[in-house]
């Protein structure tokens, strides 16, 4: 496997019981964890990062499935904190693929010498707050233990893969894989009968790519998605120069938009212009790459209401145009949820896959998958014989990765129990009864790196504030948390992301409480709120 790293001891201070002690422990060496490690070290703290994988990258380490790539512009998606890094790194494509993204994160880890403080192949089983000592005690599966004053589970939002509990799943005789655990050596799909379950952003990227080599492909679709052309292309030398010269403007633009993407909405309503002008704008933007099609469009295209439905119909017709068989086309046209209420996948030839003779689309909405048999998938009373089944069935998002660790706060309360009805946090960052712990994954919105960077900066400067002022304890107050949770639930109910059943609200996991898992605010509002809290002496936190 590329970029695997052997475990090397990470130096901490030995405590009296022979357990290593650090100022801070970070879990995860993905985009957020790597930056948290970097910033905490800059503060002069001793830090250990614990990473489950054998290399850095998080999402970009694990998601090696064919077709995995950014759908935000590469140059808006890298770290902005180091001018040197920005100038050294050449993004090769406008929407960079997984191998390159993993290489980038390895380059960052090497450049800033982060690896020496990362313990790889480290699966954390529990993290318990020791009230008497005021430290977090972290235990790994292999028996290793360490303590730290600050605990930062940077475990990612989409890292706990979900495979539905289909009856007979273990009886299947062929190969099985979830998109997030694609083996580095690949899976031989050439000429084989492959079934893919799931048509979210992962499924759409994967299906398009593997359709080029499989013998026969069966796609089991529960919900059709609104997908739009990515229009990826290589970055030529001239463009590369321009990008490198304009990073300040790129990041400035991103910082001003709701989701930290590079695209700015048209402030006009779709409904205030004539239908001809509206259509002309839709068509012009449709020819553009990436998310520009909707994020530079009339602002109300992304708000529940008439304009949203008008644009949804435009996209539906674009889908219809590309699929030869009208019956299959209608199966691929989403009619049961609003445009943008589920994550919008970008694609590179997805709909044309269904024009191939060796591709079959099976609707599993009305006739759900009954079971997995030794030979394949059974649905609607029919058996689909397969050599390989790929689960593109998504993630137990945000709270899922936290729940994989037994996290215990004051009074022995587990985070899992506390979040059983949905996350209860203060700004997605802290939760009452879990002092000195900062959850970074419940606060991000939109362009992940652009929102993670300022978040990490806020958390690490807060830790700096606590230490510089001789405090040892910081915790969200119950009042601040109650107010924030009410805001998430009440204001969250009005936004597009809560209008469909998806991971945004935990509705993709049977039995999971329905609640918006991150913030309903725009990225600029989130940053302003955090800045105000800090300026007001960390209002809403109990600091001692
Ligand atoms: O997961 P998903 P994903 N029977 O939850 C279906 C990010 N991402 O891995 O819609 C049959 O979106 C499920 O059906 P339904 C991005 O944020 C980014 O694709 O629930 N089907 C759905 O079709 C994204 O949102 C990139 O009805 C079942 C699919 O499985 C997030 O990751 C690329 C089923 C799951 O879709 C997750 O995307 C990829 C069942 N029992 C991902 N259970 C970039 O481009 C589930 N499904 C950067």
């Amino acid at each position: 496997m590329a970029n695997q790293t052997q475990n090397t001891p990470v130096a901490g201070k030995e405590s009296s019981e022979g357990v290593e002690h650090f100022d801070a422990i970070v879990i995860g060496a993905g985009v957020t964890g790597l930056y948290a490690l970097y910033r905490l070290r800059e503060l002069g703290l001793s830090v250990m990062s614990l990473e489950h994988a054998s290399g850095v990258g998080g999402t970009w380490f694990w998601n090696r499935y064919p077709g995995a790539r950014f759908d935000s512009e590469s140059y808006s998606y890298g770290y902005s904190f180091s001018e040197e890094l920005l100038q050294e790194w050449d993004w090769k494509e406008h929407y960079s693929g997984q191998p390159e993204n993993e290489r980038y994160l390895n380059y960052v880890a090497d450049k800033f010498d982060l690896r020496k403080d990362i313990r790889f192949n480290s699966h954390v089983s529990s993290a318990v707050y020791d009230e008497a000592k005021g430290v977090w005690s972290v235990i790994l599966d292999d028996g290793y233990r360490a303590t730290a004053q600050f605990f930062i589970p940077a475990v990612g939002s989409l890292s706990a893969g979900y495979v539905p509990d289909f009856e007979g799943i273990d009886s299947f005789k062929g190969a099985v894989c979830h998109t997030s655990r694609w083996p580095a050596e690949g899976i031989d799909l050439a000429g084989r009968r492959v079934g893919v379950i799931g048509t979210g952003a992962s499924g759409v990227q994967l299906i398009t790519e593997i359709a080029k080599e499989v013998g026969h492909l069966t796609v089991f679709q529960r919900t059709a998605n609104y997908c739009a052309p990515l229009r990826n292309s290589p970055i030529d030398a001239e463009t590369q120069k321009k990008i490198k010269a304009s990073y300040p403007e790129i990041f400035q633009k991103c910082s001003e938009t709701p989701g930290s993407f590079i695209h700015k909405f048209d402030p006009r309503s779709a409904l205030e212009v004539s239908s001809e002008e509206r259509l002309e704008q839709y068509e012009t933007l449709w020819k553009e790459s990436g998310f520009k099609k909707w994020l530079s469009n009339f602002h109300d295209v992304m708000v529940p209401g008439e304009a949203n439905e008008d644009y949804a119909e435009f996209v539906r017709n674009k889908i219809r145009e590309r699929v030869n068989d009208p019956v299959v086309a209608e199966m691929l046209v989403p009619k049961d949820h609003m445009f943008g209420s589920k994550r919008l996948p970008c694609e590179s030839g997805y709909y044309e896959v269904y024009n191939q003779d060796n591709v079959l689309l099976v609707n599993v909405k009305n006739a759900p998958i009954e079971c997995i048999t030794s030979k394949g998938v059974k649905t609607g009373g029919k058996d689909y014989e397969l050599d390989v089944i790929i689960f593109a069935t998504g993630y137990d998002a945000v709270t899922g990765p936290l729940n994989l660790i037994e996290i215990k706060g004051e009074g022995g309360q587990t985070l899992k129990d506390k979040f059983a009805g949905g996350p209860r946090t203060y700004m997605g960052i802290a939760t009452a009864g879990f002092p000195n712990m900062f959850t970074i994954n419940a606060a991000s919105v939109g362009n992940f790196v652009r929102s993670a960077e300022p978040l990490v900066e806020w958390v690490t400067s807060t830790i700096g504030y606590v230490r510089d002022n001789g405090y040892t304890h910081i915790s969200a107050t119950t009042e601040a948390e109650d107010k924030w949770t009410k805001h998430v639930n009440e204001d969250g109910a009005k936004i597009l992301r809560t209008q469909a059943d998806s991971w945004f609200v935990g509705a993709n996991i049977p039995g999971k409480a329905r609640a918006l898992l991150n913030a309903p605010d725009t990225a600029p509002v989130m940053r302003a709120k955090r800045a105000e809290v800090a300026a007001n002496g960390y209002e809403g936190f109990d600091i001692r």
Side-chain angles (χ1 to χ4, degrees):
M1 190 181 287
N3 298 314
Q4 284 198 341
T5 309
Q6 292 304 310
N7 259 336
T8 44
V10 175
K13 282 177 236 152
E14 195 90 347
S15 78
S16 50
E17 299 89 14
V19 175
E20 276 190 298
H21 181 74
F22 298 85
D23 294 325
I25 289 179
V26 175
I27 303 186
V31 165
T32 311
L34 286 176
Y35 189 45
L37 168 59
Y38 171 82
R39 293 291 298 200
L40 289 165
R41 271 193 352 197
E42 291 286 291
L43 282 179
L45 270 62
S46 64
V47 193
M48 176 171 62
S49 165
L50 297 167
E51 170 54 58
H52 184 192
S54 58
V56 301
T59 284
W60 299 108
F61 174 93
W62 292 111
N63 280 266
R64 299 167 184 277
Y65 64 84
R69 64 174 61 252
F70 292 156
D71 47 17
S72 303
E73 292 68 20
S74 310
Y75 33 89
S76 76
Y77 212 76
Y79 292 113
S80 70
F81 69 89
S82 161
E83 182 57 25
E84 213 175 89
L85 173 64
L86 289 168
Q87 294 307 321
E88 281 170 8
W89 185 261
D90 287 352
W91 290 108
K92 296 189 172 50
E93 293 174 277
H94 284 272
Y95 303 90
S96 180
Q98 179 276 333
E100 189 67 0
N101 306 343
E102 191 190 0
R103 261 196 295 281
Y104 169 72
L105 291 164
N106 273 279
Y107 184 83
V108 172
D110 291 335
K111 179 172 174 65
F112 299 102
D113 199 15
L114 299 177
R115 245 176 259 279
K116 69 175 164 64
D117 292 318
I118 305 173
R119 192 182 193 275
F120 291 96
N121 304 302
S122 294
H123 188 261
V124 179
S125 52
S126 69
V128 179
Y129 185 66
D130 181 331
E131 288 177 59
K133 293 182 182 151
V135 295
W136 281 93
S137 178
V138 174
I139 304 176
L140 269 60
D141 275 0
D142 63 11
Y144 175 83
R145 288 161 180 260
T147 57
Q149 185 184 7
F150 296 99
F151 174 53
I152 296 147
V155 290
S157 299
L158 297 158
S159 53
Y162 164 67
V163 175
D165 188 17
F166 293 123
E167 193 192 316
I169 203 160
D170 294 328
S171 68
F172 182 60
K173 295 270 188 287
V176 174
C177 186
H178 186 274
T179 45
S180 70
R181 285 295 180 273
W182 201 266
E185 63 281 9
I187 303 178
D188 182 14
L189 301 176
R192 303 178 80 190
R193 296 168 304 173
V194 179
V196 177
I197 303 174
T199 52
S202 304
V204 165
Q205 288 184 330
L206 169 100
I207 288 162
T208 312
E209 209 49 40
I210 66 171
K212 296 170 187 164
E213 60 165 328
V214 298
H216 188 274
L217 180 63
T218 309
V219 176
F220 300 93
Q221 173 190 271
R222 192 166 64 183
T223 306
N225 250 320
Y226 297 92
C227 311
L230 178 64
R231 307 196 198 285
N232 185 29
S233 58
I235 295 176
D236 60 40
E238 197 50 39
T239 311
Q240 189 75 257
K241 256 198 226 157
K242 277 193 199 147
I243 289 169
K244 288 193 179 179
S246 51
Y247 272 124
E249 294 90 82
I250 291 173
F251 295 132
Q252 180 59 34
K253 260 193 199 169
C254 291
S255 78
E256 290 166 1
T257 66
S260 307
F261 296 105
I262 203 166
H263 314 292
K264 210 171 192 161
F265 281 116
D266 181 335
R268 293 175 301 164
S269 161
L271 308 176
E272 77 184 52
V273 300
S274 67
S275 54
E276 292 76 26
E277 195 178 338
R278 187 157 68 227
L279 190 60
E280 196 186 322
Q281 168 138 319
Y282 290 171
E283 290 288 2
T284 306
L285 287 172
W286 193 256
K287 296 189 187 87
E288 299 277 353
S289 63
F291 294 156
K292 190 167 184 178
K293 290 167 210 63
W294 47 88
L295 297 184
S296 289
N297 221 317
F298 302 107
H299 75 92
D300 47 357
V301 150
M302 292 301 278
V303 177
E306 208 182 315
N308 174 271
E309 173 52 24
D310 188 68
Y311 190 66
E313 193 53 23
F314 171 81
V315 179
R316 291 183 194 119
N317 286 331
K318 288 289 178 198
I319 297 169
R320 290 182 179 112
E321 280 170 16
R322 291 169 61 185
V323 183
N324 298 343
D325 181 333
V327 176
V328 177
E330 282 316 303
M331 285 168 75
L332 289 163
V333 168
K335 298 173 190 114
D336 56 1
H337 62 281
M338 293 178 201
F339 177 81
S341 58
K342 282 175 176 252
R343 165 60 149 77
L344 297 162
C346 284
E347 49 79 34
S348 308
Y350 176 65
Y351 291 109
E352 285 71 18
V353 164
Y354 298 95
N355 296 333
Q356 289 181 209
D357 291 339
N358 63 342
V359 176
L360 176 68
L361 180 64
V362 178
N363 183 341
V364 293
K365 183 120 193 158
N366 301 329
I369 292 173
E370 286 161 40
C371 63
I372 309 282
T373 67
S374 62
K375 290 185 176 164
V377 170
K378 185 169 183 170
T379 167
K382 264 177 104 170
D383 285 302
Y384 295 86
E385 292 199 6
L386 303 165
D387 302 313
V388 182
I389 300 176
I390 302 168
F391 291 96
T393 40
Y395 297 87
D396 184 354
V398 182
T399 50
L402 291 167
N403 289 344
L404 292 176
I405 303 166
E406 184 173 59
I407 299 177
K408 274 191 188 166
E410 288 171 331
Q413 175 180 213
T414 66
L415 192 68
K416 189 174 180 175
D417 283 346
K418 180 164 181 184
F419 284 2
R424 297 193 57 80
T425 74
Y426 180 34
M427 300 190 297
I429 292 174
T431 185
F434 294 77
N436 299 353
M437 177 181 96
F438 296 96
T439 50
I440 301 204
N441 67 346
S444 305
V445 251
N447 179 325
F448 196 80
V449 187
R450 293 281 67 73
S451 35
E453 245 183 5
L455 194 53
V456 167
E457 283 157 16
W458 191 91
V459 166
T460 51
S461 72
T462 301
I463 289 174
Y465 171 86
V466 171
R467 288 173 62 91
D468 292 349
N469 288 284
Y471 302 122
T472 55
H473 172 115
I474 176 166
S475 173
T477 65
T478 307
E479 298 72 47
E481 175 183 302
D482 286 348
K483 211 170 145 196
W484 181 261
T485 306
K486 191 167 180 273
H487 159 63
V488 171
N489 293 336
E490 288 183 1
D491 292 329
K494 299 171 201 154
I495 64 172
L496 209 44
R497 267 181 289 141
T498 57
Q499 307 304 312
D501 291 343
S502 79
W503 69 260
F504 291 144
V505 290
N508 61 327
I509 304 297
K512 186 168 177 171
R514 189 186 180 101
L516 180 61
L517 295 173
N518 43 35
D521 305 295
T522 65
V525 168
M526 284 291 282
R527 285 197 308 276
K529 283 188 179 176
R530 290 196 296 263
E532 196 185 338
V533 164
N536 291 339
Y538 290 92
E539 201 175 16
F541 284 96
D542 168 21
I543 306 187
R544 292 175 238 148

